Amino acid sequence: MEKGVYSIFLDEERCTGCTNCIKRCPTEAIRVRDGKAKIFADRCIDCGECVRICPNHAPIPQSDAREKTGQFRHTIALPDPALFGQFKTKPSPRQILAAVAALGFDSVYEVAWAADAVSIAIREFIQEHKGEGPWISSSCPVAIRLVQVRFPSLTEQILPLLSPVEVAAKLAKEEFSRQLGIPPQEFGCFYLTPCPAQVTAIRSPYHLEHSYVDGALAISGLYCELREKISRTPEQNEPVKATAPGLTWGRVGGQTRAVQSENYLAIDGINNLLQVFEEIELGKFNTNIDFLECQCCQGGCVGGTFTVENPFVARVTLRRMASQLRPKLELEEEQEVLEYYRKGYYRAEKDVEPYSIMCLDKDIAKAIYMVEQSEKILKQLPGLDCGSCGCPTCRTLAEDIVCGIATETDCVFKLRERVQSLAEQMLALALKVPPVTVVQRQIMKTQREVLELAKRLPPVLAKPNQEKEGK
Ligand code: SF4
Ligand code: SF4
């Protein structure tokens, strides 16, 4: 993924500058300036945490417009397994697939089936690289981006295998091209996605030069129409190609179940990911773990910001749906997947690169100097991490000051000190001038008022070091 490509748009009209979002962002990508939140494009990892916390719905996740499907001769829908968890009343997985086709796609290809194939590829890869783990799953673009920006030393641990949606698009174009005699480039593969990070991953893939997927449509944007189509779709006889483990990739624990790894950890939620990555980086982690299933959203992809159903309900629904599918692939299917694996069909074309966006400058000497300067500034700040300055912490304000994008008086305590000092200076100067005119006397009166006001600013918070000094 390129730096600066992300899929969260911030509607300034809606933003009230409340600062709720700045503390929630795991990469410190948001600042509030002039009463409005702003996202630093190169820091945003599309996790959707700001979307979830904002009371005014100012951050808006973006997906492709449906009209884009009109650019292709033959359209193929790629429904994510999480889609199946969105419908808790009655429909069977096959009915849902039929309803997806009824949205206007020429064909549907199951991402859950591609997940079955990728699970076998992961199993083989881990066996071939025993003891070199823990290997980080490569299907959640937020987890990948989090590693890139905050734990760059772990990028080598990311599995060099394509995600199920990329494999699904690759297989779909090849298979339909053979069947219909249409060149692969005339097919448009559209992913029905549970999260905006997948939109970014398609526009700027981390494992490929160009994505096999041509567009991503938010599940939430299609939900009402899909429900209506499902209600009119009769039960279908045609079997679903995916297995139960393939379908449960949409919820936490599903990947590990499908991969059949014995030494694994299934992690969901951004804070849990941060904690585990930190421990791995510090060398505190149990090295027997082979596979880390990492999903940034609570409950897995069923908790993505483009989903509709409560993630806990969706997890149960997905399990119920999966129980209607066959438990595993046939031996011949498994042999075919293994053959493809040996030919490198599922292998990434390029490695995931680390980004050093948390570093203050590309020039190491300059970066060290800037860190020293920011440490000095930090000592002058109150250390309350109150967020009133529009930065998530006093440390980030100190860094922003060094980078020239903030000033010390953005801190309300520093502002108060400055106003007070200015008022004192003005009064002292005025006293040196004989108050000969009424106007000058008025000026002095105003100055005294400014000084009084400055003393009362801010009235609610006390500076910790003043408290310690008993002031
Ligand atoms: S949470 Fe952030 S984006 Fe939402 S209104 Fe508050 S400052 Fe603006
Ligand atoms: S999507 Fe995540 S990383 Fe991007 S600005 Fe929002 S909270 Fe920060």
Side-chain angles (χ1 to χ4, degrees):
M1 276 186 219
E2 286 170 46
K3 269 190 199 178
V5 182
Y6 67 110
S7 301
I8 307 288
F9 160 77
L10 221 145
D11 185 348
E12 286 200 355
E13 292 286 306
R14 294 186 188 179
C15 176
T16 59
C18 67
T19 73
N20 274 324
C21 56
I22 59 172
K23 286 189 178 290
R24 188 75 169 254
C25 176
T27 54
E28 298 174 343
I30 313 177
R31 301 289 185 276
V32 173
R33 294 275 179 265
D34 303 323
K36 300 287 174 191
K38 295 188 174 41
I39 297 178
F40 288 175
D42 59 352
R43 288 194 173 199
C44 178
I45 58 170
D46 285 319
C47 67
E49 290 296 309
C50 55
V51 178
R52 293 181 182 101
I53 191 83
C54 179
N56 303 306
H57 309 289
I60 304 170
Q62 306 284 297
S63 65
D64 287 312
R66 202 145 152 209
E67 290 70 43
K68 197 175 175 189
T69 55
Q71 298 171 7
F72 298 88
R73 183 168 162 195
H74 187 108
T75 54
I76 305 168
L78 307 172
D80 187 272
L83 175 77
F84 297 81
Q86 306 304 303
F87 306 96
K88 61 175 179 275
T89 51
K90 292 229 184 110
S92 68
R94 174 41 73 190
Q95 262 177 303
I96 295 173
L97 289 172
V100 168
L103 289 174
F105 294 99
D106 297 305
S107 309
V108 178
Y109 199 93
E110 297 171 40
V111 177
W113 151 252
D116 277 319
V118 173
S119 306
I120 293 171
I122 295 175
R123 197 168 69 212
E124 282 302 297
F125 182 89
I126 288 174
Q127 274 168 13
E128 286 169 7
H129 296 83
K130 198 89 187 139
E132 296 172 36
W135 292 102
I136 298 168
S137 59
S138 58
S139 59
C140 174
V142 180
I144 303 289
R145 208 138 177 169
L146 187 66
V147 169
Q148 284 180 299
V149 303
R150 286 204 52 178
F151 306 95
S153 67
L154 301 183
T155 47
E156 288 176 6
Q157 294 305 125
I158 295 170
L159 275 169
L161 298 171
L162 299 181
S163 65
V165 67
E166 288 294 352
V167 170
K170 191 175 174 184
L171 284 167
K173 284 182 178 175
E174 287 174 5
E175 286 181 23
F176 286 116
S177 178
R178 265 197 311 272
Q179 278 176 29
L180 305 170
I182 299 173
Q185 62 273 21
E186 293 186 20
F187 287 93
C189 280
F190 287 85
Y191 183 29
L192 274 47
T193 177
C195 89
Q198 295 285 8
V199 181
T200 305
I202 290 162
R203 290 179 187 158
S204 173
Y206 45 90
H207 267 157
L208 292 164
E209 292 305 331
H210 300 286
S211 174
Y212 291 96
V213 187
D214 302 285
L217 307 175
I219 287 176
S220 50
L222 302 168
Y223 181 73
C224 292
E225 198 180 336
L226 252 177
R227 271 184 71 127
E228 195 262 329
K229 299 277 183 217
I230 288 170
S231 68
R232 293 159 180 243
T233 306
E235 193 46 83
Q236 309 281 306
N237 292 327
E238 200 187 335
V240 172
K241 198 174 173 188
T243 69
L247 198 73
T248 50
W249 262 65
R251 47 167 288 178
V252 64
Q255 290 181 32
T256 43
R257 180 183 170 205
V259 170
Q260 296 170 9
S261 170
E262 284 171 11
N263 306 313
Y264 69 87
L265 207 59
I267 315 150
D268 64 330
I270 195 92
N271 291 329
N272 295 333
L273 284 183
L274 282 166
Q275 194 184 339
V276 171
F277 290 155
E278 254 163 34
E279 287 188 12
I280 299 175
E281 213 173 39
L282 293 171
K284 289 187 189 168
F285 208 68
N286 176 358
T287 48
N288 291 331
I289 298 290
D290 292 324
F291 180 55
L292 288 179
E293 174 190 323
C294 299
Q295 295 187 68
C296 146
C297 294
Q298 206 73 48
C301 293
V302 287
T305 40
F306 281 152
T307 58
V308 178
E309 186 55 273
N310 173 300
F312 298 100
V313 174
R315 279 166 66 176
V316 176
T317 306
L318 204 54
R319 196 170 55 207
R320 180 176 55 77
M321 292 256 178
S323 69
Q324 299 173 43
L325 305 186
R326 57 192 176 136
K328 57 181 189 167
L329 294 179
E330 299 296 330
L331 204 57
E332 310 82 69
E333 288 174 298
E334 201 165 324
Q335 289 307 323
E336 194 185 347
V337 172
L338 282 171
E339 227 173 89
Y340 271 59
Y341 171 77
R342 288 184 196 113
K343 286 183 197 158
Y345 192 86
Y346 307 104
R347 285 296 285 231
E349 284 174 9
K350 60 179 185 181
D351 294 333
V352 175
E353 298 286 340
Y355 295 158
S356 53
I357 55 120
M358 306 309 265
C359 176
L360 296 180
D361 200 275
K362 281 184 194 150
D363 179 339
I364 291 291
K366 197 170 169 198
I368 292 171
Y369 174 75
M370 288 170 86
V371 168
E372 285 168 0
Q373 292 306 304
S374 68
E375 290 294 336
K376 280 185 195 160
I377 295 170
L378 183 59
K379 284 190 185 135
Q380 305 301 316
L381 297 175
L384 286 176
D385 294 341
C386 65
S388 308
C389 59
C391 295
T393 60
C394 292
R395 176 173 292 283
T396 45
L397 174 62
E399 288 170 0
D400 284 2
I401 293 170
V402 170
C403 292
I405 54 171
T407 59
E408 206 178 53
T409 48
D410 284 333
C411 167
V412 287
F413 295 100
K414 287 286 160 191
L415 178 65
R416 180 193 180 200
E417 282 172 16
R418 186 88 182 109
V419 172
Q420 196 164 339
S421 140
L422 279 175
E424 280 167 2
Q425 283 172 28
M426 280 167 69
L427 192 58
L429 280 173
L431 285 170
K432 285 180 186 167
V433 180
V436 286
T437 66
V438 175
V439 176
Q440 278 172 321
R441 272 198 292 277
Q442 185 59 42
I443 291 171
M444 284 180 66
K445 185 170 172 275
T446 312
Q447 286 160 342
R448 283 201 186 90
E449 282 171 9
V450 169
L451 186 57
E452 281 310 307
L453 279 175
K455 282 180 184 163
R456 280 160 40 198
L457 223 185
V460 281
L461 296 167
K463 200 171 159 183
N465 56 2
Q466 283 181 341
E467 278 174 358
K468 268 186 238 146
E469 289 160 16
K471 287 183 183 172

